[in-house]
Amino acid sequence: MGLDIRRPIGYLFVALGLLIAGYGLVSDKAIYQRSLGYNVNLSWGICLLIFGLVCLALAWRGAKAGTVPQSAHDARDSIPPRGPGH
């Protein structure tokens, strides 16, 4: 099981960022009067989108470099066995 955790987290944050930023773009400007006219949904949607894209880029770079182990057994196989008395 070679699933890198950055990939599903990246997809999750990209989807949430698109939803929140999209809502910020199409929502009524009157609801932002409580936040001094600052479009919080649009700005945080963009932040979530950027974070998700960074996670996906790091997952792609890690898979390309081969740093992601194929399974937990591969990681255990790289540990040398202990000698007698340990």
Side-chain angles (χ1 to χ4, degrees):
M1 176 150 269
L3 181 66
D4 189 5
I5 193 69
R6 292 173 289 197
R7 185 168 291 159
I9 288 176
Y11 288 137
L12 174 77
F13 277 100
V14 165
L16 287 175
L18 287 173
L19 284 172
I20 293 173
Y23 180 75
L25 286 173
V26 300
S27 62
D28 187 21
K29 305 298 179 203
I31 65 172
Y32 299 112
Q33 293 306 315
R34 293 181 68 178
S35 63
L36 303 176
Y38 186 67
N39 193 341
V40 179
N41 290 322
L42 180 61
S43 60
W44 275 104
I46 291 171
C47 289
L48 291 173
L49 180 64
I50 290 171
F51 178 74
L53 291 174
V54 167
C55 285
L56 289 175
L58 289 173
W60 178 75
R61 188 185 74 168
K64 184 178 175 184
T67 59
V68 180
Q70 294 299 319
S71 68
H73 296 292
D74 292 343
R76 281 187 283 175
D77 292 341
S78 65
I79 300 171
R82 293 183 174 189
H86 286 207

